[in-house]
């Protein structure tokens, strides 16, 4: 059975940092997604807003550390473009979720649609899947396992597309005023973009792994 031996045989110890930072960024995304989901089931409180800002700061630090390491590394464990792309997309995921959380306050949204809640639950699953695929990426793993996780991620991304389509259809049904349509459309878009980015990261990892065979 084909093994992905990149980490065990090709990567110098100091370059493991990239994979550690990927995992840390993915964990931050998952924590932020869980928080957003919890907020939609209760409300945005001063305490939850403080957590949102904490995860925003942590995500920014992880993003900068990875790029700093990339800039000073002469040899990298995988192609530099792939490291940069994964790093940027992980940062994008967290920023999109953070923005959605904060926009609840900016837009004065206090009641949440079924589609918002469904999106949030799907996003939690997607960020959990990211954590799984990064663990497999870091260790010696079967390409089949990474492919399987990528397929699961694609299903979640497709599920997100269906929710988003249903949400937009409902928005333009005529039961919302114009201002509410603008607000909710922005909310849906942020989470939809975050879900898309989760799949982009997963797909990039699979492609990197396949190139090592």
């Amino acid at each position: 059975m084909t093994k992905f031996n990149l980490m065990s045989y090709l990567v110098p110890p100091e370059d493991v940092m990239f994979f550690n930072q990927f995992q840390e960024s993915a964990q931050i995304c998952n924590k932020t997604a869980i928080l957003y989901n919890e907020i939609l089931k209760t409300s945005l409180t001063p305490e939850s807003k403080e957590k949102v800002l904490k995860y925003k700061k942590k995500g920014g630090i992880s993003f900068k550390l990875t790029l700093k390491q990339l800039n000073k590394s002469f040899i990298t464990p995988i192609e530099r473009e792939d490291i940069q792309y994964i790093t940027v997309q992980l940062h994008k995921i967290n920023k999109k979720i953070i923005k959605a959380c904060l926009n609840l306050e900016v837009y004065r949204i206090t009641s949440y649609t079924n589609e918002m809640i469904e999106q949030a639950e799907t996003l939690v699953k997607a960020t959990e899947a990211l954590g799984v695929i990064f663990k497999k990426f870091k260790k010696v793993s079967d390409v089949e396992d990474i492919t399987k996780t990528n397929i699961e991620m694609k299903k979640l991304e497709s599920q997100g597309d269906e929710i988003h389509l249903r949400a937009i259809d409902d928005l333009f049904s005529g039961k919302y005023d114009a201002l509410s349509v603008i607000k909710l459309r922005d909310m849906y878009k942020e989470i939809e973009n975050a879900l898309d980015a989760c799949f982009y990261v997963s797909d990039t990892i699979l492609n990197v792994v396949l190139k090592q065979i």
Side-chain angles (χ1 to χ4, degrees), residues 48-180:
S48 58
K49 182 179 178 181
E50 185 177 346
K51 285 185 179 180
V52 169
L53 296 176
K54 180 180 73 174
Y55 292 147
K56 178 182 179 181
K57 183 177 180 180
K58 284 188 173 183
I61 292 173
S62 183
F63 173 69
K64 291 175 183 177
L65 280 175
T66 310
L67 291 185
K68 182 178 179 180
Q69 177 68 14
L70 179 61
N71 289 334
K72 71 179 184 180
S73 297
F74 181 69
I75 299 175
T76 55
I78 60 177
E79 292 183 12
R80 303 178 70 86
E81 292 80 5
D82 290 328
I83 293 175
Q84 182 176 14
Y85 182 78
I86 292 171
T87 302
V88 170
Q89 290 300 313
L90 285 170
H91 189 49
K92 177 180 178 180
I93 294 166
N94 198 52
K95 284 179 65 178
K96 292 294 181 183
I97 307 171
I98 294 293
K99 188 175 179 181
C101 290
L102 297 178
N103 276 349
L104 291 173
E105 180 179 61
V106 174
Y107 291 162
R108 310 294 194 272
I109 298 175
T110 55
S111 60
Y112 315 123
T113 67
N114 291 333
E115 287 76 19
M116 288 175 68
I117 294 171
E118 288 182 56
Q119 269 193 327
E121 291 172 347
T122 304
L123 184 61
V124 170
K125 294 176 183 177
T127 54
E128 287 173 350
L130 269 186
V132 171
I133 201 166
F134 273 117
K135 286 180 182 178
K136 294 175 180 178
F137 191 33
K138 180 178 179 180
K139 298 177 181 178
V140 177
S141 302
D142 293 333
V143 174
E144 291 179 6
D145 286 344
I146 293 178
T147 302
K148 182 179 178 180
T149 306
N150 188 61
I151 291 172
E152 292 172 358
M153 182 70 82
K154 178 59 180 176
K155 290 179 180 178
L156 289 171
E157 192 257 347
S158 296
Q159 182 180 334
D161 287 342
E162 292 173 4
I163 296 169
H164 186 249
L165 182 62
R166 183 161 22 97
I168 297 302
D169 182 64
D170 180 60
L171 267 187
F172 291 96
S173 64
K175 65 181 182 181
Y176 297 95
D177 60 74
L179 186 58
S180 294

